[in-house]
Amino acid sequence: MQSTPHLARKVVAELVGTAFLLMAVVGSGIMATRLSPDDVGLQLLQNSVATGAALVALILALQPVSAAFNPVVTLVERALGLIRTLDAAVLIAAQVVGGTVGVMLANLMFDLDAVTLSTKERAGTGLWIAEVIATLGLVLIIFGSVRADRSRTVAFAVGGYITAAYWFTSSTSFANPAVTIARMFSDTFAGIAPANVAMFIAMQLLGGAIAVVLVRVLYPERQRALVAAGDDAPAGDGARP
């Protein structure tokens, strides 16, 4: 396991970063519905641009410490041997807690109750397929950028991809179990009904599992180098949104 101070910094970065990500997702969704109450397309545009921009900023700021903000990304790192099991578990817990706190703060900023369970139904084969695709694409973007020695471009690649995926996936690209869990606590534009959360997460995990296979196939030499490098490998040093 990593040294306690090093892991503690990563935990704080993941908690704070995921909290701000969810504030961006939920807060911009609330603002969009208030500014453009009769235009759902414009609401989605405002929500997607704000989310993508926030991701770029957060990853740029926190990447030197830890900037996954996503349990699937952390699990993929574990599957590729880049981090240890206990470290992954602690980081995932921080992401879930951070996301939930972020949603509560977003609700409070707009004078809503801190927690309001969402009633927005998001279910159906099309949405489930979309979550597999959205998560698969996100993981490929992240690890493709890192393994092509373009870690400095990860923030822009991920921000651009998520902004686009809001539009080309029917689910508006949750692609993140921590985000999915947190968004059920806001009955607003970005919410998801609690009954729909489990299937979304299952599809996200499936997308992540497929991505692991593709990453191994596409970057076999780079995989061996990263595993040999251990904790000093680029993806394990915070180059991961």
Side-chain angles (χ1 to χ4, degrees), residues 2 6-14 65-66 91 236-238 240:
Q2 296 175 17
H6 186 51
L7 180 59
R9 288 193 304 113
K10 286 178 173 288
V11 167
V12 173
E14 290 295 334
V65 183
S66 186
L91 293 173
D237 267 338
R240 48 190 181 88

Side-chain angles (χ1 to χ4, degrees), residues 136-175:
L136 168 60
L138 175 62
V139 173
L140 284 178
I141 291 292
I142 293 168
F143 287 91
S145 297
V146 170
R147 293 180 176 215
D149 293 322
R150 295 174 179 170
S151 296
R152 293 181 180 179
T153 70
V154 169
F156 305 102
V158 171
Y161 174 79
I162 289 298
T163 301
Y166 261 69
W167 290 89
F168 75 74
T169 65
S170 59
S171 64
T172 66
S173 184
F174 281 48

Side-chain angles (χ1 to χ4, degrees), residues 2 10 14 63 65-85 87-88 91-92 95 139 142-143 146-147 208 211-212 215-216 223 226-227 230-231 233-241:
Q2 296 175 17
K10 286 178 173 288
E14 290 295 334
Q63 191 176 41
V65 183
S66 186
F69 316 143
N70 188 333
V72 169
V73 175
T74 301
L75 287 172
V76 170
E77 284 191 314
R78 178 63 194 94
L80 295 175
L82 302 177
I83 59 175
R84 298 173 177 84
T85 301
D87 294 348
L91 293 173
I92 289 170
Q95 292 157 0
V139 173
I142 293 168
F143 287 91
V146 170
R147 293 180 176 215
V212 169
V215 168
R216 289 185 183 279
Q223 166 63 20
L226 287 175
V227 171
D231 288 338
D237 267 338
R240 48 190 181 88

Side-chain angles (χ1 to χ4, degrees), residues 122-138 161-162 165-176 199-200 203-204 206-208:
R122 298 180 187 267
T125 303
L127 273 66
W128 299 333
I129 293 172
E131 279 303 292
V132 175
I133 293 171
T135 310
L136 168 60
L138 175 62
Y161 174 79
I162 289 298
Y166 261 69
W167 290 89
F168 75 74
T169 65
S170 59
S171 64
T172 66
S173 184
F174 281 48
N176 184 329
M199 185 58 78
F200 261 54
M203 296 301 102
Q204 291 157 6
L206 175 59

